[in-house]
Amino acid sequence: KKSWIHGLAFMLGFCGALVASFIAIALIFSYTRKIGARYVKGLLLISIILLVVFGLILLGRAVVSMI
């Protein structure tokens, strides 16, 4: 059996990684705004494309698993 300490460590690690990734994204966009709006639009477009592709992959896996 796992103790509650393992669960707490998992939750802290997960939340810490999530917050760190949000901070990293904010810093990247903050830095690119200093460079120019063109780069920000490019990063947004790349982010949107990656999220759509990832979402479609997840939806495809869900459909396949239901069959």
Side-chain angles (χ1 to χ4, degrees):
K1 288 186 173 182
K2 302 287 183 186
S3 70
W4 63 273
I5 295 175
H6 289 96
L8 181 64
F10 173 78
M11 287 301 297
L12 289 175
F14 178 79
C15 292
L18 192 64
V19 169
S21 66
F22 287 152
I23 291 171
I25 290 170
L27 289 174
I28 289 169
F29 279 102
S30 173
Y31 176 72
T32 56
R33 287 195 193 279
K34 294 176 185 173
I35 295 174
R38 182 175 163 206
Y39 292 106
V40 173
K41 288 180 183 179
L43 283 174
L44 283 172
L45 182 62
I46 290 170
S47 298
I48 290 168
I49 291 170
L50 288 173
L51 286 171
V52 167
V53 168
F54 183 63
L56 290 173
I57 290 170
L58 289 176
L59 283 174
R61 286 184 179 183
V63 169
V64 168
S65 70
M66 290 190 324
I67 296 177

